[in-house]
Amino acid sequence: MNEKKVQENTIYHDTWMLLKKYRDVVWSLELSVRQVCNRFQIEYGSTVDEFLESIYCAGADIGGSEIEQHAKSIERSRNMLKLLDSSVELLREKHKYGEEYYWLLYYTFLSPHKLLNVDEIIEKLEPHIRDISIRTYYRRRRQAIEALSSVLWGYTAKDSLDVLEHFFPEKM
């Protein structure tokens, strides 16, 4: 019952969806950047950086152009990936189970190539987490996602009140 309640939590769901789409976003971003670079080379005979430098030196404004919109889209995706990557690193470095959570998230969602199934993920986890069963994998994966959610989105007000209540119980 508690497991179902956690998975229905919108913060958990947002983190789950973000992690599930991570590889696709990385791939799409790589393609977009490559396409923009190729397009600039073909159309302008220069790299994006060279082109932008010449535009800025000339005082030209590319505001509202298709080029600007595409660049902003790439930048938003890149910023979201940076946020996720830095959140995973913070989790890895500071959380009491950070190293374990890192490897769970890495092999499940973040590695460049998706592993075929849970057995393959568990096999990759063996050097990092000893004697991990399938049940333990699913339980620890949920915990890793919850911990990452708290880094990405912060504690909800209810979570904060629960923590405060634990340390500073109201006097009866």
Side-chain angles (χ1 to χ4, degrees), residues 20-34:
K20 284 187 72 154
K21 297 205 177 286
Y22 182 83
R23 287 184 188 98
D24 293 336
V25 171
V26 169
W27 173 246
S28 177
L29 187 59
E30 288 286 328
L31 287 178
S32 292
V33 169
R34 184 158 299 199

